[in-house]
Amino acid sequence: MTLDFYDSRQKKGPRVRARKAVIPAAGLGTRFLPATKAQPKEMLPLLDKPAIQYVVEEAAGAGLDDVLLVTGRGKRALEDHFDHAVELERQLAAAGKEDLLAAVQAVSRLVHTHYVRQGQPLGLGHAVGCARRHVGDEPFAVLLGDDLIGEEEGLLTQMVDICEETDRSVIAVMEFPDEDLGKYGVVAGETDADDPSVLHVSDMVEKPGKANAPSNLCIIGRYVLTPDIFDHIAATRPGRGGEIQLTDAMKAQAREEPIRAVKFSGVRYDIGSKQDYLRATVELASRRSDLGPEFREFLIDFTKNLPQQ
Ligand code: UTP
């Protein structure tokens, strides 16, 4: 496979802070078929916003105002969502619907949005590799479009800070039960002497299962990567499932110099999974000031009368 890459290997220099975010959103979303047959999984609504908007808002909240969405066939709705909707805005203005107009306009003003297409869904590593020209020679964040992490958790800002301080890639990990160790990348490493929430990662294994897992710490969908990752991706051969795995490229990077992991213990939803999608919807609704009070009453009533199965 040839990718149109140029060499970005850099010498350690002055500290550089990540300011660009890459959001891979070119996957097929098979776990949500048939809902994702004709619309991207990232456009599935959580209340009145598509899932991808929460992710872009999180990037903006961490000071990443340049967002590159990696898209593919059937993903045009993503571009339309973050673009101006001139006719709709005119109609809302004429009807005096100021709140809705503001909500619609805010989406297109959130960040500077850019797009690149991943011709074929060859894996997450390949999707990130497609961002090379746009990102260039600076650290950047990767946010998976189907992982929902509250902006208020401050995870991404902490990761951007650590990458700036250490000039090393930073990943986010979370403790998972044994039965989930076959679904995620799992890391091995040592806790930082000064900060118990930070790990120095020495190894990573993609979906090892309980028997071969080096720990219970699984990689979740937030990364802040130094640009030498692009050379590692270009050198990565297809791995598990015939896909170019980001975990394999990061593993090669960690072999050169340990990368850091932040142990996250806050709220995170994989909205590509139906269970998590339901939980995210209920939690977001309960917390919203306009919907929450009435919805919580409904939930209390509903659970009281829930038949035991
Ligand atoms: P997933 O494996 O969770 O997404 O990839 P998927 O393939 O869309 O979902 P299922 O398993 O078939 O339901 C994690 C993220 O990486 C992106 C996906 O869009 C998702 O945000 N991705 C994955 C790409 O952009 N390109 C790929 O080739 C693979």
Side-chain angles (χ1 to χ4, degrees):
M1 185 194 60
T2 50
L3 289 172
D4 188 15
F5 285 162
Y6 58 89
D7 185 24
S8 74
R9 224 167 254 272
Q10 59 167 11
K11 298 247 179 322
K12 298 286 170 214
R15 291 176 179 186
V16 184
R17 192 168 176 81
R19 56 190 185 91
K20 293 178 182 170
V22 174
I23 304 184
L28 297 175
T30 52
R31 285 172 293 166
F32 247 108
L33 282 169
T36 47
K37 184 181 170 198
Q39 67 163 341
K41 157 174 80 171
E42 296 78 12
M43 287 300 292
L44 291 174
L46 283 157
L47 308 186
D48 44 14
K49 292 191 235 175
I52 189 81
Q53 191 176 329
Y54 294 89
V55 178
V56 171
E57 285 171 355
E58 186 195 346
L64 306 160
D65 66 355
D66 178 305
V67 172
L68 177 75
L69 285 159
V70 183
T71 67
R73 189 167 291 280
K75 301 278 183 171
R76 280 291 298 277
L78 290 169
E79 296 184 28
D80 288 342
H81 184 68
F82 291 103
D83 199 0
H84 291 281
V86 179
E87 187 55 31
L88 175 64
E89 288 174 30
R90 202 178 292 137
Q91 284 192 20
L92 291 172
K97 296 184 174 168
E98 298 300 332
D99 287 358
L100 289 177
L101 178 63
V104 165
Q105 287 176 333
V107 184
S108 51
R109 292 173 183 164
L110 257 179
V111 288
H112 301 285
T113 329
H114 308 269
Y115 300 90
V116 64
R117 278 174 80 108
Q118 182 189 19
Q120 278 177 282
L122 297 178
L124 178 58
H126 181 264
V128 173
C130 294
R132 186 171 202 167
R133 267 182 191 281
H134 182 84
V135 168
D137 201 11
E138 50 185 287
F140 64 103
V142 174
L143 293 85
L144 297 197
D146 50 5
D147 248 18
L148 224 73
I149 294 172
E151 190 190 323
E152 66 286 353
E153 305 278 0
L155 172 65
L156 197 56
T157 303
Q158 186 189 359
M159 294 171 72
V160 169
D161 288 345
I162 296 174
C163 179
E164 186 182 10
E165 277 160 28
T166 61
D167 201 12
R168 301 275 187 280
S169 288
V170 184
I171 59 175
V173 294
M174 232 177 146
E175 213 163 300
F176 277 76
D178 288 349
E179 60 270 22
D180 285 342
L181 300 177
K183 296 186 206 157
Y184 295 93
V186 181
V187 303
E190 297 214 353
T191 303
D192 185 89
D194 298 321
D195 186 347
S197 74
V198 174
L199 206 71
H200 295 226
V201 176
S202 51
D203 197 13
M204 293 171 224
V205 199
E206 185 61 25
K207 303 189 172 93
K210 184 181 169 217
N212 299 312
S215 75
N216 276 58
L217 293 171
C218 297
I219 303 171
I220 56 171
R222 297 293 178 271
Y223 312 78
V224 182
L225 302 170
T226 51
D228 55 308
I229 192 69
F230 290 122
D231 289 332
H232 292 295
I233 292 172
T236 300
R237 305 273 61 91
R240 247 192 102 91
E243 296 193 338
I244 297 179
Q245 300 286 352
L246 182 60
T247 307
D248 290 340
M250 288 190 310
K251 190 173 161 160
Q253 194 184 38
R255 251 188 248 121
E256 285 184 356
E257 41 187 25
I259 67 174
R260 305 290 191 265
V262 174
K263 287 190 230 168
F264 179 64
S265 52
V267 180
R268 171 247 177 204
Y269 296 109
D270 169 10
I271 58 100
S273 115
K274 288 172 201 160
Q275 283 292 346
D276 266 18
Y277 180 82
L278 289 170
R279 290 189 188 116
T281 304
V282 171
E283 193 192 320
L284 286 169
S286 327
R287 273 204 258 132
R288 274 261 296 253
S289 57
D290 57 339
L291 301 168
E294 197 180 326
F295 186 62
R296 279 197 299 269
E297 269 180 37
F298 158 77
L299 273 183
I300 292 165
D301 249 19
F302 181 73
T303 46
K304 250 193 256 156
N305 300 321
L306 206 58
Q308 298 293 323
Q309 291 200 335

